[in-house]
Amino acid sequence: MQEISKTFCVYPWIHQQATPNGRYNFCCIPMHTFIPDDQGLPLHTEQHSFSEAWNTTYMKNIRKKMVAGEKVNGCEKCYEQESFGKASHRQMYNKEWFDKIGQEEIFRKVEKSKLANYELDEPSIYLDLRLGNLCNLKCRMCNPQNSVQIYNEWINLDEKTQGRYSEFWKENGLKVETCTPWYESHRFWQDIESQIPHLKKVYMTGGEPTLIEGNYRFLKKCEEMGFASEIELFFNLNMTQLRENFLSQLTPFKWVGINASLDGHGLTNEYIRYPSRWATIDRNFRQLLSESKDHFEIGISTVIQTYNILFITDLLEYGEQLFQETQRIVHFDFLYCLRPPFLDFAHLPKNIKQEALRRVTDYKKRSLYFKHSHPRFESVKNGVNSLIVRLQQTMDLENREKVLDFIRY
């Protein structure tokens, strides 16, 4: 694969996101960014269409910078992951779409945009739809934008502390925002229907996708319009439930990827992803593996953070156990929690990181994944190897202030 530049990402040429609060973004990885109009105000689905958000000055500047090899504000997480050998989302997205639509097609889109001052007259082919923040969990590294449970807790704690809770979060780069029911508007659904004929892939999360009725409405509309067989789907599910009609509604689509959002095994996951129960998650995950079709791929997305750095190998071994029992390959996607900074394990004392490194290194020696060469094991190998590198790189870093922030939190 020939990259156009060291900072090039295919997303600004193919992808759009509707965030849980109804704003537009060019990617889900940047935190607290949005696509603004020329006055710097955020474009919102209630007033603006996907096509209006597609060619703003902001978007054209991003495309121009990426082609020139310049770094883009908001893409810092990918640059940081690449620095310690983790395959970044930028690199994974590029590989995925170079394989899907071909290098020539991507180069054509880029060259065509360059001739038009980085404007695109072709619509996006990949949508990231987050139709609100309805969720039944309040995961400890999550935020109010992505969980109504955390939003309600935030309001409650802020009242109890006379605003000190919000001030604490502002110091760590996060703010609370209300999610209005923008996803119920007739205007938005008219806009969505106009996008469906062009789509090749849709990513749905939330909130929790199985709870959000708008997701079922969208899937039904794709089938009614006759485009389901041309569209790939990808979900992140918390596995606390599997609705009866969920899997059946996915069957007509071209390909389906489902990642279970799990951050530990057993009690570790229950603590981080409260109030989930591991017995329920394990039962639902095994059901998913047994009932999903041949064109489904199943994996686990894990957020590496202060809470689970000593216990991540338990979850990796769970994935191996499922493979041995079901012969279904469960791949892993490691995400690194860098914000808020007190959840980044890099700030922990050296002795804790030394123990984490020992456990991960020992796991690698006995790992089933590292003894086989199947391509779908590569994500696990890359995740484990990059975790070892980052532990080594940050071994002598310790930030007592951030550790105290963690304790306060």
Side-chain angles (χ1 to χ4, degrees):
M1 184 183 74
Q2 178 188 345
E3 288 206 312
I4 291 171
S5 77
K6 290 184 178 180
T7 63
F8 174 78
C9 179
V10 69
Y11 264 30
W13 282 265
I14 65 164
H15 170 273
Q16 289 181 285
Q17 180 196 28
T19 68
N21 58 18
R23 293 176 176 176
Y24 290 104
N25 208 348
F26 69 95
C27 177
C28 69
I29 302 304
M31 291 188 67
H32 318 306
T33 62
F34 54 83
I35 296 176
D37 61 19
D38 289 346
Q39 285 71 49
L41 300 175
L43 297 183
H44 198 282
T45 54
E46 290 180 317
Q47 295 87 32
H48 306 93
S49 65
F50 281 96
S51 60
E52 288 175 300
W54 193 223
N55 284 309
T56 61
T57 301
Y58 177 84
M59 286 301 301
K60 290 188 285 187
N61 285 338
I62 286 177
R63 294 176 187 134
K64 184 176 181 179
K65 284 185 175 182
M66 286 185 173
V67 170
E70 299 175 21
K71 290 187 175 181
V72 173
N73 291 337
C75 299
E76 293 84 1
K77 187 174 287 189
C78 280
Y79 305 146
E80 185 162 356
Q81 288 183 348
E82 290 167 21
S83 72
F84 53 83
K86 168 73 170 68
S88 69
H89 288 84
R90 181 190 76 84
Q91 292 170 326
M92 291 189 289
Y93 298 155
N94 285 348
K95 183 181 186 307
E96 175 187 0
W97 288 94
F98 272 65
D99 290 344
K100 266 188 175 63
I101 62 177
Q103 178 175 298
E104 289 186 5
E105 175 64 7
I106 291 173
F107 281 25
R108 183 194 67 79
K109 286 178 177 288
V110 172
E111 290 301 317
K112 188 175 181 182
S113 71
K114 285 168 67 176
L115 294 174
N117 191 29
Y118 293 93
E119 185 169 315
L120 286 168
D121 62 1
E122 303 169 8
S124 55
I125 58 175
Y126 180 15
L127 290 185
D128 178 340
L129 295 179
R130 307 189 180 206
L131 306 182
N133 66 346
L134 180 61
C135 188
N136 58 337
L137 302 184
K138 43 183 178 182
C139 304
R140 293 175 184 270
M141 69 293 173
C142 195
N143 58 72
Q145 177 177 307
N146 292 303
S147 169
V148 68
Q149 301 293 338
I150 295 179
Y151 176 81
N152 293 336
E153 179 181 72
W154 183 306
I155 298 301
N156 180 262
L157 288 173
D158 210 41
E159 289 177 355
K160 287 184 176 180
T161 61
Q162 289 82 51
R164 292 196 304 277
Y165 191 66
S166 284
E167 288 303 314
F168 170 74
W169 272 106
K170 287 177 184 176
E171 293 168 12
N172 285 280
L174 190 65
K175 59 183 178 180
V176 63
E177 291 181 291
T178 304
C179 287
T180 60
W182 56 270
Y183 41 83
E184 295 177 357
S185 76
H186 179 67
R187 184 185 188 283
F188 171 72
W189 284 101
Q190 279 188 314
D191 191 23
I192 281 289
E193 287 184 28
S194 72
Q195 298 293 310
I196 288 175
H198 309 286
L199 295 178
K200 294 189 178 297
K201 185 175 180 179
V202 178
Y203 174 44
M204 282 181 276
T205 182
E208 164 55 27
T210 58
L211 294 176
I212 296 173
E213 292 300 327
N215 290 334
Y216 296 92
R217 176 179 176 179
F218 173 79
L219 296 173
K220 183 178 180 181
K221 181 57 65 174
C222 289
E223 187 174 5
E224 288 176 349
M225 294 176 66
F227 292 101
S229 62
E230 301 174 25
I231 298 173
E232 296 183 355
L233 300 175
F234 192 84
F235 297 88
N236 271 104
L237 309 181
N238 64 29
M239 300 311 300
T240 58
Q241 62 171 346
L242 278 180
R243 282 174 50 165
E244 289 183 9
N245 63 332
F246 179 68
L247 291 180
S248 62
Q249 204 163 347
L250 305 182
T251 301
F253 287 83
K254 182 178 180 180
W255 174 89
V256 179
I258 298 177
N259 271 9
S261 294
L262 306 178
D263 294 313
H265 180 270
L267 291 176
T268 303
N269 195 74
E270 290 185 4
Y271 182 79
I272 297 173
R273 305 184 67 84
Y274 180 83
S276 66
R277 289 292 173 261
W278 183 255
T280 301
I281 288 170
D282 179 54
R283 182 180 67 247
N284 288 338
F285 199 34
R286 291 173 186 275
Q287 179 185 342
L288 177 64
L289 288 170
S290 65
E291 295 183 7
S292 55
K293 308 299 182 182
D294 290 340
H295 65 299
F296 284 44
E297 288 190 9
I298 311 299
I300 294 175
S301 286
T302 301
V303 180
I304 309 292
Q305 55 192 291
T306 298
Y307 288 116
N308 62 10
I309 190 60
L310 289 173
F311 309 105
I312 206 65
T313 56
D314 296 341
L315 187 60
L316 289 164
E317 288 174 340
Y318 173 68
E320 293 189 11
Q321 177 189 346
L322 290 173
F323 170 63
Q324 290 175 313
E325 292 178 7
T326 67
Q327 294 306 300
R328 292 289 300 270
I329 294 176
V330 179
H331 68 87
F332 276 79
D333 180 23
F334 279 6
L335 309 172
Y336 286 84
C337 188
L338 307 178
R339 302 287 185 277
F342 57 80
L343 292 184
D344 182 353
F345 71 78
H347 301 305
L348 288 171
K350 184 175 183 177
N351 64 321
I352 295 178
K353 286 179 282 193
Q354 285 175 326
E355 176 60 18
L357 179 60
R358 184 191 68 78
R359 294 185 186 189
V360 176
T361 304
D362 286 351
Y363 164 79
K364 180 178 175 180
K365 293 175 184 177
R366 65 179 185 273
S367 168
L368 173 69
Y369 292 115
F370 280 86
K371 294 175 182 176
H372 291 75
S373 59
H374 195 287
R376 290 197 66 206
F377 288 152
E378 293 305 310
S379 64
V380 187
K381 295 177 184 178
N382 177 260
V384 170
N385 286 332
S386 67
L387 178 55
I388 290 172
V389 171
R390 189 157 195 265
L391 281 164
Q392 291 169 335
Q393 287 181 345
T394 63
M395 191 59 67
D396 292 322
L397 296 180
E398 180 179 343
N399 189 320
R400 180 173 173 79
E401 180 182 339
K402 296 306 175 189
V403 173
L404 292 175
D405 275 348
F406 174 70
I407 294 168
R408 283 179 69 200
Y409 179 57

